[in-house]
Each structure stands twice: as structure tokens, then as C-alpha cells.
Amino acid sequence: MHTCEKVFAATLALVGLAGCGGGSIGPEMVVVAGQVVFDGQPLETGSISFIPSDGQGPTAGAEIVKGQYKTSVTPGPKRVEIRSTKVVGQRKTYEDMPDSPTVDVVEELIPPRYNAESDLQHSVAKGKSAAVNFKLDAAPPH
């Protein structure tokens, strides 16, 4: 092997080792997946957020499709918010223009106790993955 080839091979080896941080680049992530049921039926569409209870660290979220979601979350206690909207009408984009396009008027389908005023909690344990299911209902709590 020539000197240039040796230097090139040594450089490649060092670059390869530099990428082996063993997770020191960021926090350990846990795959969290599950089902969201609302009033006995899988939630057709929506979103779910896992927010650190202590306010430290990143928030994780995912889209809910046909009741299913999957995301990566840092371990620790989380406050969970679940949202879904429904179309309740339409309105003109510009009220004073007769030919104005219309847009959907939407309302939150899920009660505030599951999102803006969420009382949902889940502690994400360290590990590879976790199944976390939520059963929500529109009726007020007893």
C-alpha cells in the first residue's frame, strides 16, 4: 500500500469511529404507538402530543389515522393532548366580497379535558417501544 493510500485508509477509519457515539448525540428515544378510541369508536383523524410534565425536553407528536398513531418520545412523565376537529359549516374568506371563496368552519371534537385542559398523563419508561392506548368519551367526568 502506498503512503497516500495508507493516509486515506486511516482517515476513513477515524471518520467511521467518529460516528459511533453510542447515543451521546441526543436523548434516548422510545417508540410509542397505540390506539385512540373516542365514544367507543377509533378516532378517524386527529393528533396526539406527549409534552414533558416538567417542561424540560422536547414535545413529541403524531397524526392519528383510523385510531392509530406512532411516534418517538423521550422517557419520563408526559402530559398527553389529543385533538380532532369537525367541520360545522362554511364561511366566506372575505365577507364584503360576493365572489369570495369559502373556507370550512371547524370546532374541536374532543373535550378540553383531553387537550387544552388535559388531565391525561403517561410516564414513558426507558426501552425500545411501548403500547399506549387511550379511551376517551364526550360525557363529562363523574
Side-chain angles (χ1 to χ4, degrees), residues 1-123:
M1 191 181 285
H2 289 80
T3 304
C4 288
E5 292 172 327
K6 289 179 184 176
V7 170
F8 183 71
T11 303
L12 282 177
L14 287 173
V15 170
L17 288 175
C20 298
S24 61
I25 294 174
E28 179 182 332
M29 301 298 281
V30 178
V31 174
V32 176
Q35 183 178 41
V36 179
V37 173
F38 182 64
D39 281 344
Q41 299 295 318
L43 187 61
E44 192 61 31
T45 61
S47 65
I48 186 167
S49 299
F50 291 86
I51 304 161
S53 296
D54 63 4
Q56 302 297 310
T59 294
E63 184 178 3
I64 300 167
V65 178
K66 296 183 181 176
Q68 303 295 313
Y69 75 92
K70 182 177 182 180
T71 189
S72 295
V73 182
T74 55
K78 309 292 181 211
R79 184 171 72 87
V80 180
E81 292 185 2
I82 299 173
R83 299 177 184 277
S84 181
T85 56
K86 64 179 177 180
V87 176
V88 294
Q90 291 194 324
R91 67 172 176 81
K92 289 185 176 184
T93 304
Y94 305 103
E95 292 296 328
D96 56 346
M97 294 179 63
D99 293 335
S100 175
T102 58
V103 294
D104 290 338
V105 176
V106 296
E107 286 183 357
E108 181 63 53
L109 175 67
I110 308 296
R113 72 178 180 277
Y114 300 124
N115 45 66
E117 301 166 6
S118 181
D119 57 10
L120 294 174
Q121 300 287 321
H122 181 74
S123 187

